[in-house]
């Protein structure tokens, strides 16, 4: 019985980690949808979100609820900047051939990688390479008893925030003109252009939305773990990326499901393995998935990309 | 039924996609030295039949025999190496390679390739590959642009580049997939001349075409496919008079109207 | 299948162009001499003259990364399979050499090829299930496998001593001769690097190389030209990982100490950046890119900690301004054909095409 409760607790922890991965994976998926390229700087957006949040907290000490909108704004800004810097210069050619060309895809893959290196190094200089502590008032580590199980406030905040953001995203994508634009461009960029959608603006919006989700994930984890560092974005970035690929690259529900799966299996794995080995679980799941589902679990025979 | 002269024989070839019968019980042979056309209205199953013959799609039932061997279920490269050369409907040259290097891939494919030979003992084979690639380029008249990057060639020249690449495999059967697509009337006529010349030089050709004119003017025998079935097989004159063929083509036009 | 001898009319005849053929041979000798003179003459002379151990250290690192960059170019540039886990195979080679020499006392002459073969064997195991994957899926698989290997190096403490790394790896020695000085260490590494690049040069600058490039351009189409696509991809990956393993062994035996952090994801990215900056698919480019990316941060030592920013900025600017790299593939193939007489002369003379 004790063990069961413990397991349940681990599942809850895993779900909260999974939702963090999911928030990031959605950003990857949205951006892959509209541009058909991978944004390697997404992990840095997460880190920026955490640092902006921390700066706001240390400077102004606002209530927690006020931190989130500021982080959202910072995320949106960094997304727009990222698109300007690492993606737009490579969209000079808009015909179908170069949109599908491997060269262009690889160029933006590498340019986003280069921008991520630069961003991370700049943060290293501004904040130093060490972990930054979070003021204890803002730490989300207080345990709350729900029936027989103890849940950290951080988990609850992550669940609540993720639910709100997923709902808002759903609303945005399916109930607004902007969302229609994003879906149209994802489906067929040239076609969208022909029916009069401003594809450039849609792409920028997508980056802004995806980066808002990523930045929020960053500050949530920062407050939950109580430590923020310029390198913190790498691991969750890779795992969210893995979730996107396992989900089939272009499926948001697929990415969320796989992100939750990764989070829970990592959390449960720590019961059986020392924590150093837990990352092996993620990568093994990735490789096994790719071997048996070369297009991801939720991928639908997308054209050979 | 298969004599020594038969290069390709397909027997009862059938392919289902889910509930759809794309190709149904097609039987046909091609003899060495023939120039055969395969025609049919859109959606007749030409592309599927093509993919079944070249090994890209496995058949649901039936067999393909090529050059005296059962090749059903073999991989495309294995069939290609036995001497089946092909071109693609929508141009697929290797865009970032030179014209000569494009063609050489066909020759390398048919000779077989190994890293050891590249390292230690490539001389004789390299000379043979070079010579055969050059010969193929001269045959299609692209020798003077051998050093150009393929993507820079005009559309029409890229068509001939594809044919040269297929010729460099020293094909015992050359299958051309809708070579006239995207060409104007003059260019189509030139292409027809070129195909007849290849045939006169002894190349066995299967011409899969949508364009009736090209096939009727060039081929000695025509196979007609409609709704996945073979509905006619004979000289152009016979086929043109065949009521089943007329109905298939007119029927489609009715549908389209 | 026998090699058909085509009729004489189209065979290249060396007598047709005596002048040009001699000119070619002259150029080949010239360029070979220049390259060897720089690697074995100028650089050692500079190290001796300045007596700078720092310079020697950079030269050794540069040579190791030349092997890494050239080998990654083989799979990613030439065969077109984007690998972002190359450093893991570098790590396998380094650990194989380190463990074989410290635990079993095997000599360098054994550990060097063994490191390559072990890395190549792991590469083979990785390649078998992943070669069906296309494009980004393959890249992600290599990323995942690279991270798995890193996690194993870090956590299998009984074998690898985990984050503490392995110390006291013996220096390069050959039949009693030991590379004790930095200069001799450089010379040994340079000889091996030259051999590695020469092998990759023979493989890529040949019709076999054309077949690899065809995989990158359109693998289905290559398939119907009689190219065994899967086998060729596996071969290319195995060759590439073999040389990464060799580079790892060189690192072990020249630095005496290795730790898992030498083989992290960022290292894979650095190697990829070398290939990209130099020019995807261009072997001379991969070499130049490696030298550039190693020497640049050192040249920028004065700006201290900002040098990683400079590396990122260089990578970014090079992708933006020189999308085909410093030495683009097409131009570098033409250069190799002419300067190293690897091209095939056509009847009409003109520019060389094909391969000898």
């Amino acid at each position: 019985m004790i063990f069961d409760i413990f397991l349940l607790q681990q599942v809850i922890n895993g779900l909260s980690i999974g939702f963090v991965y999911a928030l990031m994976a959605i950003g990857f998926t949205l951006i892959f949808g509209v541009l058909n390229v991978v944004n390697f700087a997404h992990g840095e957006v997460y880190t920026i979100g955490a640092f902006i949040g921390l700066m706001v907290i240390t400077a102004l000490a606002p209530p927690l609820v006020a931190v989130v909108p500021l982080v959202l704004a910072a995320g949106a800004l960094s997304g727009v900047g990222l698109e300007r810097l690492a993606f737009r210069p490579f969209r000079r050619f808009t015909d179908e051939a170069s949109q599908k060309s491997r060269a262009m895809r690889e160029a933006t893959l590498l340019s986003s990688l280069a921008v991520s290196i630069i961003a991370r190094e700049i943060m290293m200089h501004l904040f130093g390479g060490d972990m930054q502590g979070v003021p204890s008032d803002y730490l989300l580590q207080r345990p709350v008893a729900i029936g027989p199980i103890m849940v950290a406030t951080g988990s609850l905040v992550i669940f609540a925030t993720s639910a709100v953001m997923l709902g808002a995203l759903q609303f945005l994508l399916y109930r607004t003109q902007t969302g229609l634009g994003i879906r149209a461009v994802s489906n067929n960029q040239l076609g969208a252009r022909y029916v009069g959608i401003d594809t450039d603006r849609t792409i920028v919006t997508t980056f802004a939305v995806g980066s808002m989700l990523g930045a929020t994930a960053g500050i949530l984890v920062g407050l939950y773990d109580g430590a923020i560092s310029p390198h913190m974005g790498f691991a969750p970035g890779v795992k969210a990326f893995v979730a996107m690929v396992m989900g089939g690259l272009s499926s948001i529900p697929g990415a969320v499901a796989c992100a939750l799966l990764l989070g829970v299996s990592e959390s449960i794995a720590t019961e059986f393995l020392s924590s150093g080995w837990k990352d092996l679980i993620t990568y093994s799941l990735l490789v096994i998935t790719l071997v048996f589902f070369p297009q991801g679990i939720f991928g639908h025979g997308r054209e050979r990309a | 039924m298969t004599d020594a002269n038969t290069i390709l024989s397909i027997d009862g070839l059938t392919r289902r996609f889910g509930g759809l019968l794309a190709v149904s019980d097609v039987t046909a042979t091609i003899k060495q030295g023939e120039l055969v056309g395969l025609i049919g209205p859109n959606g007749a199953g030409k592309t599927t039949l093509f993919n079944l013959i070249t090994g890209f799609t496995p058949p649901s039932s039936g067999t393909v025999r090529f050059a005296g061997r059962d090749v059903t279920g073999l991989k495309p490269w294995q069939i290609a190496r036995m001497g089946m050369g092909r071109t693609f409907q929508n141009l697929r040259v290797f865009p970032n390679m030179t014209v000569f290097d494009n063609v050489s891939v066909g020759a390398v494919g048919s000779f077989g390739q190994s890293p050891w030979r590249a390292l230690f003992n490539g001389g004789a084979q390299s000379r043979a590959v070079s010579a055969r690639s050059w010969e193929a380029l001269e045959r299609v008249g692209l020798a003077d642009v051998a050093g150009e990057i393929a993507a820079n060639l005009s559309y029409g020249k890229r068509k001939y580049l594809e044919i040269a690449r297929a010729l460099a495999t020293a094909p015992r059967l050359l299958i051309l997939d809708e070579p006239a697509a995207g060409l104007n009337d003059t260019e189509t006529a030139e292409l027809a001349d070129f195909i007849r010349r290849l045939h006169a030089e002894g190349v066995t050709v299967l011409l899969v075409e949508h364009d009736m004119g090209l096939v009727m003017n060039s081929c000695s025998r025509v196979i007609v496919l409609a709704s996945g079935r073979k509905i006619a097989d004979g000289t152009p004159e016979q086929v043109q008079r065949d009521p089943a063929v007329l109905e298939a083509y007119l029927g489609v036009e009715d549908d389209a109207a | 299948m026998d090699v058909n001898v085509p009729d004489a009319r189209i065979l290249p005849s060396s007598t047709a162009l005596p002048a040009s053929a001699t000119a070619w041979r002259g150029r080949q000798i010239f360029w070979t001499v220049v390259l060897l003179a720089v690697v074995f003459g100028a650089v050692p002379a500079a190290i001796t003259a300045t007596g700078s151990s720092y310079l020697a250290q950079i030269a050794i690192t540069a040579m190791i990364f030349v092997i890494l960059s050239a080998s990654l170019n083989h799979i990613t540039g030439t065969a077109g399979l984007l690998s972002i886990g190359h450093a893991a195979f570098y790590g396998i080679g380094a650990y194989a050499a380190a463990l074989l020499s410290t635990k079993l006392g095997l000599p360098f002459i054994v550990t060097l090829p063994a490191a390559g073969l072990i890395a190549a064997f792991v590469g083979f195991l990785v390649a078998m299930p992943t070669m069906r994957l296309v494009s980004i899926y393959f890249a992600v698989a290599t990323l995942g496998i690279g991270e798995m290997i890193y996690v194993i190096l870090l956590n299998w403490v009984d074998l690898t001593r985990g984050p503490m790394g392995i110390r006291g790896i013996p220096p390069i020695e050959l039949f009693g001769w030991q590379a004790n000085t930095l200069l001799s260490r450089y010379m040994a590494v340079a000889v091996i690097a030259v051999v590695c690049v020469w092998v990759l040069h023979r493989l890529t600058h040949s019709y076999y190389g054309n077949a690899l490039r065809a995989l990158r351009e359109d693998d289905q189409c290559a398939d119907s030209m009689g190219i065994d696509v899967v086998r060729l991809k596996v071969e290319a990956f195995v060759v590439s990982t073999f040389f990464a393993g060799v580079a790892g062994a060189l690192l072990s035996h020249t630095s005496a100490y290795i730790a898992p952090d030498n083989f992290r994801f960022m290292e894979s990215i650095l190697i990829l950046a070398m290939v990209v900056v130099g020019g995807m698919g261009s072997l001379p480019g991969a070499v130049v890119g490696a030298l550039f990316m190693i020497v640049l941060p050192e040249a920028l030592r004065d700006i201290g900690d900002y040098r990683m920013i400079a590396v990122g900025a260089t990578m970014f600017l090079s992708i933006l301004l020189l999308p085909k790299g410093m030495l683009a593939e097409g131009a570098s193939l033409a250069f190799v054909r002419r300067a190293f007489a690897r091209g095939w002369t056509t009847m009409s003379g003109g520019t060389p095409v094909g391969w000898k």
Side-chain angles (χ1 to χ4, degrees):
Chain A
M1 191 57 204
I2 301 290
F3 176 73
D4 279 348
I5 287 173
F6 205 72
L7 194 70
L8 189 60
Q9 223 148 1
Q10 286 304 95
V11 169
I12 289 173
N13 287 342
L15 282 176
S16 64
I17 302 168
F19 270 113
V20 169
Y21 295 162
L23 287 179
M24 287 192 82
I26 291 170
F28 270 126
T29 310
L30 283 173
I31 292 168
F32 189 88
V34 291
L35 276 184
N36 218 4
V37 297
V38 176
N39 170 19
F40 254 108
H42 201 53
E44 270 53 51
V45 171
Y46 170 94
T47 316
I48 289 173
F51 269 108
I52 297 286
L54 182 64
M55 282 163 69
V56 169
I57 286 171
T58 42
L60 305 174
L64 189 59
V65 192
V67 176
V68 174
L70 288 167
V71 169
L72 283 175
L77 263 178
S78 52
V80 172
L82 177 68
E83 196 273 337
R84 276 285 145 103
L85 202 57
F87 291 86
R88 179 156 310 184
F90 300 94
R91 281 213 309 281
R92 279 167 294 188
F93 310 104
T94 47
D95 57 298
E96 192 156 12
S98 45
Q99 267 174 19
K100 284 186 179 157
S101 92
R102 188 182 246 155
M104 169 172 124
R105 219 173 358 226
E106 270 159 23
T108 48
L109 194 95
L110 294 164
S111 67
S112 64
L113 204 60
V115 168
S116 84
I117 295 174
I118 297 170
R120 185 166 54 237
E121 290 297 320
I122 290 177
M123 283 190 276
M124 290 273 284
H125 282 282
L126 293 179
F127 306 107
D130 300 330
M131 295 281 185
Q132 305 270 324
V134 172
S136 54
D137 293 351
Y138 288 91
L139 271 182
L140 297 174
Q141 292 174 339
R142 202 156 33 82
V144 176
I146 299 177
I149 47 172
M150 303 296 274
V151 181
T153 40
S155 294
L156 297 176
V157 171
I158 288 174
F159 290 143
T161 320
S162 307
V164 170
M165 298 200 84
L166 288 177
L169 181 74
Q170 200 69 14
F171 179 82
L172 175 83
L173 284 180
Y174 292 96
R175 293 277 185 278
T176 65
Q177 204 63 28
T178 317
L180 184 68
I182 294 177
R183 286 186 293 130
V185 174
S186 301
N187 223 327
N188 181 344
Q189 195 177 126
L190 275 188
R193 199 194 309 277
Y194 290 145
V195 297
I197 291 173
D198 183 346
T199 49
D200 269 347
R201 231 185 77 189
T202 309
I203 290 168
V204 171
T205 314
T206 312
F207 269 86
V209 172
S211 303
M212 283 158 83
L213 298 176
T216 312
I219 186 63
L220 290 179
V221 171
L223 299 180
Y224 187 18
D225 285 352
I228 290 172
S229 87
H231 294 289
M232 69 185 286
F234 177 75
V238 170
K239 283 165 191 167
F241 185 34
V242 166
M244 167 183 81
V245 172
M246 285 173 69
L249 285 182
S250 49
S251 153
I252 290 179
V256 172
C258 290
L260 295 178
L261 175 74
L262 287 182
V264 171
S265 35
E266 271 180 16
S267 174
I268 291 178
T270 49
E271 287 313 296
F272 307 103
L273 297 168
S274 71
S275 71
W277 288 103
K278 80 166 195 244
D279 285 348
L280 208 55
I281 302 291
T282 307
Y283 302 120
S284 311
L285 279 175
L286 166 74
V287 174
I288 292 167
T289 307
L290 287 178
V291 168
F292 292 102
F293 303 91
Q295 304 266 312
I297 297 175
F298 298 88
H300 39 76
R302 204 182 163 88
E303 116 189 57
R304 289 160 53 94
Chain B
M1 136 139 198
T2 52
D3 57 78
N5 264 336
T6 306
I7 185 78
L8 177 76
S9 71
I10 55 182
D11 190 15
L13 213 52
T14 300
R15 173 70 208 197
R16 272 183 209 89
F17 291 109
L20 182 80
L21 256 180
V23 168
S24 164
D25 196 24
V26 173
T27 299
T29 58
I30 294 176
K31 291 196 180 62
Q32 207 127 37
E34 273 194 299
L35 170 49
V36 179
L38 173 67
I39 60 169
N42 278 330
K46 294 193 298 288
T47 304
T48 308
L49 183 59
F50 195 110
N51 286 338
L52 291 172
I53 294 173
T54 50
F56 272 97
T57 314
S60 306
S61 64
T63 55
V64 180
R65 290 182 66 81
F66 178 64
R69 271 183 59 191
D70 187 348
V71 298
T72 324
L74 289 191
K75 302 218 166 62
W77 67 267
Q78 292 171 310
I79 301 175
R81 201 173 283 184
M82 289 170 61
M84 190 187 289
R86 69 168 289 188
T87 64
F88 289 86
Q89 189 175 332
N90 36 6
L91 284 181
R92 284 171 83 169
V93 298
F94 304 124
N96 299 309
M97 294 166 69
T98 64
V99 168
F100 191 92
D101 284 350
N102 258 277
V103 175
S104 75
V105 174
V108 175
S110 74
F111 284 130
Q113 68 288 316
S114 113
W116 306 115
R117 214 178 277 137
L119 269 182
F120 299 115
N121 169 30
Q125 202 199 37
S126 286
R127 276 192 297 280
V129 169
S130 307
R132 195 195 273 171
S133 311
W134 191 252
E135 184 197 6
L137 278 178
E138 288 197 323
R139 278 174 98 168
V140 303
L142 289 178
D144 52 330
V145 291
E148 295 274 328
I149 295 293
N152 298 343
L153 291 190
S154 69
Y155 185 81
K157 282 191 172 168
R158 274 183 279 163
K159 288 245 158 174
Y160 284 96
L161 173 55
E162 272 213 354
I163 298 177
R165 190 175 59 189
L167 285 174
T169 64
R172 303 172 73 174
L173 171 67
L174 176 64
I175 312 184
L176 303 175
D177 193 0
E178 306 220 355
L183 297 184
N184 63 30
D185 288 351
T186 331
E187 289 166 330
T188 307
E190 279 169 14
L191 183 72
D193 281 346
F194 176 74
I195 292 171
R196 277 194 292 268
R197 204 165 66 235
L198 274 185
H199 177 233
E201 286 169 13
V203 182
T204 312
V205 182
L206 173 61
L207 183 59
V208 181
E209 244 315 334
H210 186 64
D211 185 297
M212 279 281 241
L214 178 65
V215 172
M216 293 301 172
N217 289 331
S218 325
C219 299
S220 50
R221 187 154 68 86
V222 178
I223 297 169
V224 187
L225 218 56
S227 311
R229 295 176 177 280
K230 184 170 102 168
I231 56 168
D233 185 346
T235 64
E237 295 75 31
Q238 288 170 336
V239 165
Q240 268 165 326
R241 282 197 303 268
D242 194 314
V245 175
L246 289 173
E247 191 194 344
Y249 269 84
L250 292 175
V252 166
E253 270 172 353
D254 276 353
D255 282 354
Chain C
M1 193 163 289
D2 63 323
V3 173
N4 305 358
V5 178
D7 60 305
R9 144 181 81 88
I10 46 159
L11 274 178
S13 83
S14 53
T15 53
L17 291 158
S20 141
T22 327
W24 275 32
R25 208 146 298 139
R27 242 180 267 158
Q28 178 184 19
I29 293 165
F30 171 76
W31 279 103
T32 313
V33 168
V34 166
L35 278 182
L36 294 180
V38 170
V39 176
F40 297 113
V43 176
I47 293 173
T48 317
T50 56
S52 153
S53 64
Y54 169 71
L55 190 62
Q57 204 57 60
I58 295 172
I60 291 171
T61 311
M63 283 297 152
I64 291 174
F65 274 91
V66 162
I67 302 177
L68 288 170
S69 162
S71 61
L72 180 65
N73 179 57
H74 192 67
I75 186 76
T76 296
T78 305
L81 292 159
L82 181 61
S83 166
I84 43 180
H86 206 54
F89 298 96
Y90 175 44
I92 289 175
Y95 270 89
L99 294 172
L100 289 175
S101 58
T102 55
K103 293 213 165 165
L104 301 180
L106 292 175
F108 177 72
I109 188 86
V110 177
T111 58
L112 181 79
L117 290 174
I118 291 170
F121 179 69
V122 177
F124 176 75
L125 293 181
V126 167
M128 288 312 278
T130 55
M131 279 306 156
R132 288 178 310 138
L133 301 175
V134 290
S135 184
I136 194 72
Y137 290 102
F138 177 79
V140 177
T142 58
L143 175 125
I145 287 160
E147 288 297 298
M148 277 167 94
I149 291 171
Y150 171 73
V151 170
I152 291 170
L153 291 181
L154 193 64
N155 290 289
W156 192 355
V157 178
D158 291 344
L159 184 71
T160 66
R161 294 173 31 89
M164 287 181 297
I166 297 179
R167 280 173 204 290
I169 307 161
I172 296 173
E173 58 88 14
L174 214 60
F175 307 119
W177 173 79
Q178 272 210 342
N180 287 322
T181 65
L182 277 169
L183 182 65
S184 58
R185 238 173 255 175
Y186 165 78
M187 287 303 253
V189 173
V191 169
I192 294 162
V194 166
V195 171
C196 293
V197 172
W198 181 82
V199 169
L200 288 167
H201 152 73
R202 293 288 296 194
L203 289 177
T204 19
H205 299 139
S206 69
Y207 285 115
Y208 177 74
N210 277 10
L212 294 180
R213 279 182 278 274
L215 302 183
R216 173 192 69 198
E217 299 284 297
D218 187 338
D219 54 357
Q220 266 191 350
C221 182
D223 199 351
S224 51
M225 296 298 125
I227 307 267
D228 184 350
V229 170
V230 173
R231 192 181 133 185
L232 234 65
K233 283 183 177 173
V234 172
E235 275 174 13
F237 198 69
V238 166
V239 165
S240 169
T241 49
F242 174 83
F243 286 113
V246 167
L250 292 177
L251 176 78
S252 282
H253 288 290
T254 53
S255 70
Y257 168 70
I258 53 167
D261 274 352
N262 294 349
F263 315 107
R264 285 222 75 172
F265 177 70
M266 277 314 289
E267 214 69 8
S268 295
I269 294 310
L270 179 65
I271 304 169
L272 182 63
M274 292 170 176
V275 174
V276 172
V277 169
M280 284 262 215
S282 151
L283 183 62
V287 173
V288 169
L291 297 177
F292 184 75
M293 297 294 281
I294 292 295
V295 173
L296 177 81
E298 301 303 334
L300 296 175
R301 213 157 34 120
D302 292 343
I303 63 170
D305 291 341
Y306 289 93
R307 65 190 190 187
M308 269 315 284
I309 298 181
V311 170
T314 311
M315 195 169 147
F316 181 76
L317 288 177
S318 108
I319 302 158
L320 186 64
L321 305 174
L322 294 168
K324 292 191 166 176
M326 291 159 71
L327 301 170
E329 182 185 37
S332 83
L333 291 182
F335 170 76
V336 172
R337 279 177 176 127
R338 249 179 298 114
F340 293 97
R342 287 290 285 160
W344 178 79
T345 333
T346 62
M347 278 284 282
S348 52
T351 46
V353 292
W355 299 106
K356 236 187 210 144

